[in-house]
Amino acid sequence: MYFLKSVVFVICGSILYSSCLATEHNPVIDAFNREAISPDLIPKAPEGLLTVQFEKGIKANLGNTLSIEQSKKKPVDLSWPSSQEAFYTVVMTDPDAPSRRNATFAEFKHWIVGNVPGLKINEGKIIADYRPPSPPKGTGPHRYILLVFVQPRGKITFKEPFTPSDKSDGRPKWSVKKFAQEYDLGDPVAGNFFFVERKK
């Protein structure tokens, strides 16, 4: 009888341990859900962390606040769980244009680079050049969301014309969800985001 009880205890303990592992929180998913990025913007939050580093070691950190000055130039380094054999699309979008409460121009497209081989974003095709965060004064903090999609069929022939950084054509009222659907990108594999607010 003692032996049977011990066996039952070991089995139950293993089940409980496995259950705990299965329900362990993912900080990326938790942060995206907390800020309503998913399911409002994308159906499913990414599981992987996109490391985003700007100049002087400034990093995005799942909802930290950066200044306009800190984010005025495109990131100097991006990394995510990747394969050297795959191609990726990197997107940055603002769903709070002109404000989170009154997002009539949402989303605002800030950056798109497609056909990125592995982590070599400088070798990808720039579809929309980096447009730095510049939220209007008095509109509160804006969420600037960066997402990485794997291209399941390899290289893509993108139909969008190139958008330079100083042009706004095609940037307002954009949708990352529709973009992903159009090119069959599925759910993002990695992501990150930060806030920027203009107070003066």
Side-chain angles (χ1 to χ4, degrees), residues 28-47:
V28 180
I29 294 175
D30 289 348
F32 271 67
N33 290 340
R34 181 183 67 243
E35 293 299 335
I37 298 169
S38 56
D40 292 352
L41 196 69
I42 49 175
K44 184 180 178 183
E47 295 184 4

Side-chain angles (χ1 to χ4, degrees), residues 50-125:
L50 168 60
T51 301
V52 181
Q53 181 171 315
F54 293 90
E55 290 183 336
K56 300 179 181 178
I58 302 299
K59 292 184 177 182
N61 188 20
L62 296 175
N64 60 325
T65 298
L66 301 182
S67 68
I68 291 174
E69 181 68 21
Q70 288 172 326
S71 57
K72 72 177 182 179
K73 294 183 180 180
K74 68 181 181 181
V76 295
D77 185 56
L78 294 177
S79 62
W80 61 89
S82 64
S83 166
Q84 293 181 354
E85 314 302 322
F87 289 91
Y88 297 88
T89 296
V90 177
V91 169
M92 177 172 154
T93 184
D94 171 12
D96 304 323
S99 71
R100 192 163 178 172
R101 288 187 177 184
N102 182 35
T104 53
F105 293 108
E107 303 161 39
F108 192 92
K109 180 200 309 177
H110 277 267
W111 194 27
I112 304 178
V113 184
N115 293 332
V116 178
L119 294 175
K120 300 174 182 177
I121 192 164
N122 291 332
E123 295 182 16
K125 176 181 175 59

